[in-house]
Structures are given as C-alpha cells and as structure tokens.
Amino acid sequence: MKKQFCLATLAVALSVNAQTLSSPDGQLSVTVGCDNGIANYMVVLGNDTVVRKSPLGIKTNMGDFSKGMKLTGSTQPQSVSESYTLPNAKKQNISYTANEATWMFNNEKDKPAFSVTFHVDNNNVAFKYDVKAQGDRRSCIVTEESTFYTFAQDTKTFLCPQMTPQTGFARTAPSYETFYEYDAEMGKDGWGRGYTFPALFKVTSNTLSNKKGQGESYIWVMLSETNIGGNYCASRIVSADTQSYRIAYPEQSEFGGVGSTAPGLMLAGANGEIPHAETPWRTITVGRTLAPIAETTIQWDLVKPQYEASKEYKYGRSAWSWIIRMDASCNYDEQKEYVDFAAAMGWEYLLVDAFWDSNIGYDRIEQLSKYAQSKGVGLFLWYNSNGYWNDAPQGPRGKMHRMIDRRKEMAWMQKAGIKGIKVDFVGSDKQQTMQMYEDILADANDYGIMVIYHGCTLQRGWERMYPNFVSCEAVRASENLSFGQHDNDIEALAATIHPVLRNAVGNMDFGGSALNKHYSKDNKRGKTRVTSDVYALATAILFQTPVQNFALAPNNLDDAPAWAIDFMKAVPVTWKDMKFIDGYPGQYVALERMTGSKHYVAAVNAADNAYVKEINVPANVKEVTLYSDDANLNGSVKQVKVKKGKVKVTVPKNGGAVIVY
Ligand code: CA
C-alpha cells in the first residue's frame, strides 16, 4: 500500500471568490466559492452543470458557520494516488488518482471557522469539513449541517424513503428496507423524512440532449457518504425545496429514543492532525452511463483499515434454512439436515438463524458445529443486537450490545469453532449506534469472527475499515419475498437497481436465489416466486457479498433442474473485478464479474418487452456456456459459439441470462 503526494500543475484562479479543482482527466470539476456569507460549491462534468451552486456550512455549539462566512483562500491542488487490495469486495486490486485541495472560511469575527477539503477523480467528487477550534475548545457538537445538493428542476430521482423510527417489526426501524421510487420528480420527501444513502439522480444534459451521436443525453449522479464508524453519525437527505436535498442527521426517536441525534466531533486544535477530527466524506459519483456508479470504489479510496485482520478470513457460499422454513426450522435436526445440504452443495457455511439459543441450546450448537466442521461446513450464528432499543423477542438477546457480555460470547464462539455472526435489529444511524457497529466488529476480529449486519444501517466504507466485515442488509431483502406476494411480483424490478446503486457502495446481504416455487418447506404453499430459475442464477452473480446466504433448500437437490444445482455448486462469491454492461433502474440490468480465471455475465429483465443484447466477449473465446430462458421462463443451458466476438442474449420479463467463459 502506498500513497504518493506531489504537486500538480493545475491552474488555479487567483481570486478567492471562486476557485475550481478539476479531475486528472479535466472532465469533472468542482468550483468552491462564497456568496453573501454562505459557502458554496458546484459540480460540472464537461460543459454540463451536474450539481448546481449549493450551500456548504455547519452549525455547532461553538457557533453557526452556515452564514456570515468569508472565503479566505485555498491550498494548491495536490495529486493523490494509492493502490490497495480488498479481498472482500466487488474489486480486488484497486487504485485511484485524484486531485485534492482545501478551502478555508472565516467567521463573522474573521477568525477561522472551518475548511472544506475536496477530492476529485475522473468520476467522483468527495468533500469533508474540518471545523476549527474556537478558543480553547477541543471538541464540539455539530447540531446541523448546511450541506445541500441542488439539481435542475427536471432531474429525475431514484430514492429509497427513510423509514419512520420505532415502527416496523418490534420497533426495529429504520433499516433501509423500503421500496425505491423510480424516475420520480424532484421535490418529494419520501415518507416525510427524506431518503437513505445511496441516492441516485438522473440529470438532463444541457449540451448533448439535442445532438445525436454524442452519447447519452443525461448524467447519472449518486450521492453517498463514507468513513463513518464511531466517529460520526450516519446521515440521510431530506427535501429542502423543489430543487434541493440537504444532509439531515438521525431523528431523536431512533434507537429507542436513546442517544444524541447530533454527532460529537473532536477538533484538531493547534497540534496538527488528529484522527477523526473531520466530518465523514460526502461523495458524489458522476457518469454519462451507470458504469462509473456501479464500478466506483470511492467509498474505500477515502478510508483506512482501522485494525489488522487477526487471521485470514475465508469467504464462501452459505445455506440458510430460515428464508424457506422460518423460525420453526431452527432446531437441531433441521439444522443438521442443512449442514448435510451445504456439504452436498460443496458450500462453506451454514447460517443458523434466530432462536437457536432456546431451540438448540449452547451445548448442542457446539455439537452441531463439530458435526458441520467434519463435513467442511462452518457455522454463522444469528444474534439479536438489542439491549434497550427495540422489542424483538428473538434470542439470543442481550449478548451483543455490551463489550463484557459480547467478548465472553465471542470467546465461547471461538472455542466452538463458530466462524461468523449475523447481528440483527439495530435500527439507528446515531453516532452511539455507529460506535456499537464498530465495537462489535473490532471485538469479533479479536476472536476471528466475521460479521454480517441485518435490520441495520448502510455500511460506509466498512469493507476496507474492518477486515472481518462481511456485509450489511440495508435493502428490502429476500425475507419480504417470504412475507408478501407483492415483493415477489416486483422482484425483478427491484433487482434492476441494486447492482447499480445499493450494491455499488458495498456488499449486500440479500439472501436470494431461491429455487423453490413457493416459500415453504413443502414447496406447495406460501408466497409464489414469479421469476425464473435462470433469474435465480443471474442474481447470484448480480448481487455481491463475499458470504452469500442463498435461499436454496435441500428439496432443490431433487426438484430443481440439475443445471441450476450444478451452477449453484460452482458459483463464486469472491471476485477480482467487475464491469457494468447495461441497465436502466426499474427495467433491466447486465454486468460482468470476473474471478481471474472465469467470467460471468449476468442479466435480468423486469420490462414487459424482452431485453435483447449482444454481449461482447474477448476475441480468443470461441464458445461460452449460456443459461437462458424461453418466452415462458423455461430455462436451459447450452454451449454457444461466439459470432464476431459477440453472444446474443434474450431475457424475457422476470427471466435471466448468464454467460460463463
Ligand atoms: Ca431485514
């Protein structure tokens, strides 16, 4: 890992009223200024204004720095670059080159108030605030942030409404589990409390819309944030007016009403750099296609590992009884049946879900773990996160929220050979909660335990910050396919947005790829799957997380097509690289993932018309394996000759296609 700084040769305007920082390729730029005492910024791609002039500012218990500001200067742009590896994310070998500069603002008394550092690479703009100590202060409370994102009025939005705190199952909301709005108008505010990150906007291009042959006529913009553990709260965006969204902090009623909505912030003071003395990075990913968004690594470029991995974590495929058989399946005999199923699939893990403490017990979990290990299968155990913030009755309860109890539990896990935990029902973005997420990860690493979070916030850079982090749910996931038919009816529609939005910013524990026709043990009752078997295979590729809890069931060894089972036996869950191919959220999506030796191209379609696409393959590939559906969603697999470097796929509504070579 190396980080290099060198002076760049960028031209900088001499005036301090407004200055521009450009990306290395010169196409993407941010202009920072100050008008009428309000700091502001603007993002431009080519000749298109992407984010219009929008306020910057911060309100603290030391002073209100959202007005009365004066821009006093900026640093010379610096080129920053770095290469690093991530074994647990969508890309393994990552490198970036960007330009950075910092703008300084004084308050009404003409004393330093804050600075804003911008980081601009060819597809991302990111910024963070450094609040300046006032007098002897070495800490402050940030009561409000005046960070705005202003777009043209005709911009379309793809947003996920923030849930109402202390609602949902057993007061476990918010947990990023609502339906996205697609192609919606600006000015909406979700359920009255804004939207979760990541947030997607489609901005009409001023320069290209009327000229043919110059590429897309709109620009995709994704807003998110990164580098948040216990150092800050997580944020959302709320509607400020018909053209603007602004950063909002958590609501008081989150986390059972316990804990502050306002983050506390260390101040660097005169002693120079202090870790976490700045706000998190807010990120703006920009592209004329969705490729820069689906492929972005900005969430990891701007963070650092917070501790060393205590061992080499091994990722893999996982069986999971709960999604098909629910709570009743959490007994020794059925979990043993699922161990045998995981072993038959050649999978590495089994996730034992809620109520194992009462239905199986600690002694027999040790037995189950021993049995599983003899079959080459490791166990993940479910835990209720709660202490004092929700009413979820599922056990084990009260084991994760306090360090002393947690470490005792993890010492037992280590002895019993448990490989990971899934911690559920958190329901808050407060700083106190973010600290708990971080603390559980740090303690788990001491005992060699991997961590999946459910009913939770969105991770913000965690794949790189915490090496034993596997994934967050933070999506309306497969459990809803078991709970309601509507989720099944729009399953494919929802799947078209995740690879280019939610999953673009981090690993996603969706728990999908069911091959049952019905969500029940006998596969006759329960909610009905309307997607095809090839769709199930395609989403195993499209949805990425390094420990995938697949919804396959033991009966699928007999009742699912042999080609589907064989595919799922061999399916990878760790990848060297990925590439966006095509897509429009709400209609269809196609992308490619690579293991190093194998390429998988996967597509699904939610539109009424079949999705037809010529997929490019390298010149040396003469033949590929193609999994595809006919018009009636009957799947099959065949070897297909490559014609002129292309393979044609046709994907009917609710169907899928996968190319392997
Ligand atoms: Ca959930």
Side-chain angles (χ1 to χ4, degrees), residues 175 177 424-425 454-456 473 475 477 479-480:
S175 51
E177 295 182 20
D424 207 341
F425 302 138
H454 247 243
C456 58
E473 184 184 28
V475 64
E479 60 198 19
N480 294 289

